[in-house]
């Protein structure tokens, strides 16, 4: 079997049916057999009923092998991802968010690429904002030509390596299965650590491919973690967890811990890729209530202390009492950082 599509889901009733319907439309366009694995992490809405109806209606399709696992407790996203990787039987695995949809013809195009035996594929995407009910990105990467890389350094330095959106990555499954024996060190990016480990694996055979035609629509949910700051990655939701800020912190920690001796790769990840993003991230988090306690300050120093932008702009913002910083002032600081970013990155004339 060439491909496993794996979907982790928790309380996905608003969107999971659209995701599954988009897969069904693609199945009609291909002859190859595809495995569809779904793990429900103890949903408390109608997700289980939707999945049960879907299985009863389509489990007899000749080229779609459907398997659904219902957890009897919420074990967290990483547990679901681990199960999907370990249980997959496809040569390649595509983990798909339960709120994403495939664009028409994408699966057929992907299988065409998979038959060339790449190591990993990153697919371009569109983005839809649920709150405003409009498309906010028609081309996430801003690229219009396919790219092929024969080494990890070029793959990371050109497009940043594996996409930070789970749904935009396809990989050989076997190196991911082997990665499961390693211990991940991040709360939010365990799956990405597996993908990066596979990217630089010694046994790598095949190229890295970027497909420029958008194949998926990524949904920014109105009540998702980006909008609410709620941490839903673990077995229990944590409100006001500053997830946007700490996902950036963790990316930078991964870059430092995994790739310190590989600067071309390290400098493609997190704050190493975008020094200017440090004060901007701190200003945004501060506006949302990021505390300047010892733990936050210490971790921020360890993550961002390599860049002068942290010491000259980011740390003073972090240490300033929130009562002295109006939203207007923080908004002005973000705009100034963005202006400096544009000026200093402008090409010489």
């Amino acid at each position: 079997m060439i491909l496993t599509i794996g979907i982790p889901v928790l309380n996905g009733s608003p969107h999971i049916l659209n995701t599954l319907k988009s897969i069904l439309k693609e199945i009609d366009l291909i002859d190859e057999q595809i495995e569809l694995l779904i793990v429900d992490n103890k949903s408390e809405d109608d997700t289980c009923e939707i999945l049960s109806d879907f299985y009863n209606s389509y489990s007899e399709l000749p080229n779609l092998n459907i398997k659904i696992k219902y957890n009897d407790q919420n074990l967290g996203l990483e547990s679901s991802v681990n199960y999907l990787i370990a249980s997959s039987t496809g040569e390649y695995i595509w983990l798909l968010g339960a709120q994403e949809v495939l664009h028409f013809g994408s699966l057929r195009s992907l299988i065409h690429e998979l038959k060339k035996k790449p190591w990993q594929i990153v697919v371009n995407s569109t983005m839809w904002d649920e709150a405003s009910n409009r498309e906010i990105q028609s081309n996430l990467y801003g690229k219009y030509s396919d790219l092929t890389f024969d080494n990890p350094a070029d793959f990371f330095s050109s497009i940043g390596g594996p996409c930070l959106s789970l749904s935009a990555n396809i990989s050989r499954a076997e190196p991911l299965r082997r990665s499961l024996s390693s211990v991940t060190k991040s709360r939010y990016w365990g799956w990405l650590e597996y993908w990066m480990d596979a990217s630089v694996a010694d046994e790598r055979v095949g190229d890295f491919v970027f497909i420029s035609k958008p194949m998926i629509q990524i949904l920014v949910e109105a009540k998702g973690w980006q909008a609410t700051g709620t941490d839903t990655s673990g077995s229990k939701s944590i409100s006001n967890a500053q997830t946007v800020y700490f996902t950036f912190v963790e990316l930078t920690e991964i870059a430092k811990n995994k790739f310190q001796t590989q600067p071309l790769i390290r400098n493609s990840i997190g704050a190493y890729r975008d020094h200017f993003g440090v004060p901007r991230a701190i200003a945004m988090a501060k506006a949302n209530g990021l505390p300047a306690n010892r733990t936050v300050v210490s971790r921020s120093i360890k993550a961002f202390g390599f860049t002068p932008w942290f010491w000259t702009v980011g740390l003073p913002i972090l240490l300033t009492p929130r009562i002295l910083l109006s939203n207007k002032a923080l908004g002005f600081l973000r705009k100034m950082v963005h202006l400096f970013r544009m000026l200093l990155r402008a090409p010489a004339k």
Side-chain angles (χ1 to χ4, degrees):
M1 192 176 299
I2 194 169
L3 179 66
T4 294
I5 298 176
I7 303 178
V9 60
L10 172 65
N11 298 330
S13 61
H15 308 296
I16 184 65
L17 187 57
N18 289 334
T19 301
L20 297 174
K21 285 181 177 179
S22 74
I23 295 173
L24 288 176
K25 291 178 181 178
E26 297 300 295
I27 291 297
D28 289 340
L29 305 177
I30 63 172
D31 297 322
E32 294 79 5
Q33 188 176 43
I34 300 299
E35 181 179 51
L36 176 60
L37 295 182
I38 305 170
V39 55
D40 176 79
N41 220 348
K42 189 60 175 175
S43 291
E44 297 177 345
D45 59 5
D46 296 331
T47 299
C48 293
E49 289 79 1
I50 293 171
L51 294 179
S52 179
D53 289 345
F54 176 78
Y55 181 85
N56 292 334
S57 299
Y58 301 106
S59 61
E60 299 300 321
L61 289 177
N63 60 339
L64 185 63
N65 184 14
I66 304 171
K67 300 175 184 177
I68 303 175
K69 180 177 186 288
Y70 300 94
N71 288 340
D72 57 10
Q73 59 180 314
N74 183 352
L75 301 175
L77 175 62
E78 185 166 346
S79 175
S80 296
V81 168
N82 290 354
Y83 169 81
L84 292 169
I85 293 174
S87 302
S88 64
T89 61
E91 183 180 359
Y92 292 87
I93 186 166
W94 186 2
L95 297 182
L96 193 65
Q99 66 282 347
E100 262 75 277
V101 297
L102 307 187
H103 287 307
F104 185 76
S106 60
L107 188 56
R108 180 172 54 188
S109 298
L110 175 63
I111 290 175
H112 175 76
E113 290 295 328
L114 293 181
K115 289 180 178 180
K116 300 177 185 177
K117 302 301 180 182
W119 188 248
Q120 290 181 339
I121 292 179
V122 174
V123 300
N124 210 347
S125 66
T126 60
M127 293 186 71
W128 189 270
D129 181 62
E130 185 179 26
S132 60
N133 195 33
R134 65 184 181 88
E135 186 176 80
I136 56 175
Q137 284 279 4
S138 61
N139 185 316
L140 181 63
Y141 278 84
K143 296 182 182 296
Y144 298 90
S145 298
D146 294 351
L147 301 170
T148 301
F149 311 98
D150 62 7
N151 64 84
D154 288 345
F155 174 51
F156 276 84
S157 60
S158 179
I159 65 169
C163 183
L164 300 185
S165 171
L166 173 74
S167 304
N169 301 286
I170 300 93
S171 176
R172 290 269 183 101
E174 188 53 38
L176 293 179
R177 296 185 193 113
R178 286 195 292 270
S179 294
L180 294 177
S181 61
S182 62
V183 178
T184 58
K185 297 181 179 180
S186 58
R187 178 177 178 83
Y188 302 110
W189 298 111
W191 69 267
L192 184 62
E193 291 189 57
Y194 295 145
W195 239 265
M196 288 181 172
D197 287 344
S199 298
V200 299
D202 292 336
E203 70 271 20
R204 180 182 62 83
V205 177
D207 294 329
F208 301 92
V209 175
F210 170 74
I211 299 177
S212 60
K213 183 179 179 180
M215 288 196 170
I216 58 171
Q217 176 186 276
I218 297 172
L219 181 70
V220 180
E221 296 178 88
K223 297 182 179 180
W225 64 268
Q226 300 100 324
T228 65
T230 299
D231 178 357
T232 58
S233 63
S235 58
K236 295 182 179 180
S237 296
I238 303 173
S239 301
N240 302 317
Q242 297 291 337
T243 49
V244 174
Y245 180 68
F246 285 110
T247 52
F248 188 50
V249 171
E250 284 196 349
L251 280 176
T252 307
E253 292 170 341
I254 290 171
K256 180 179 180 180
N257 296 333
K258 282 185 176 290
F259 303 112
Q260 188 64 35
T261 61
Q262 298 170 278
L264 282 176
I265 296 178
R266 181 200 63 197
N267 295 342
S268 303
I269 304 168
Y272 286 95
R273 185 179 184 89
D274 183 11
H275 292 209
F276 302 104
V278 173
R280 182 175 183 272
I282 292 174
M284 292 176 64
K286 196 74 176 182
N288 290 320
L290 179 70
N293 58 44
R294 179 179 298 181
T295 300
V296 170
V297 173
S298 175
R299 190 174 180 187
S300 298
I301 289 174
K302 290 178 181 178
F304 303 136
F306 68 91
T307 171
W309 281 93
F310 171 74
W311 297 104
T312 57
V313 184
L315 185 59
I317 296 174
L318 180 59
L319 294 178
T320 301
R322 180 65 179 87
I323 194 170
L324 300 179
L325 292 172
S326 66
N327 288 337
K328 185 175 182 181
L330 289 167
F332 175 76
L333 286 169
R334 293 198 300 270
K335 290 179 181 178
M336 290 302 297
V337 170
H338 181 69
L339 176 61
F340 276 114
R341 171 192 280 156
M342 298 299 293
L343 291 174
L344 294 179
R345 287 185 177 177
K349 295 182 179 181

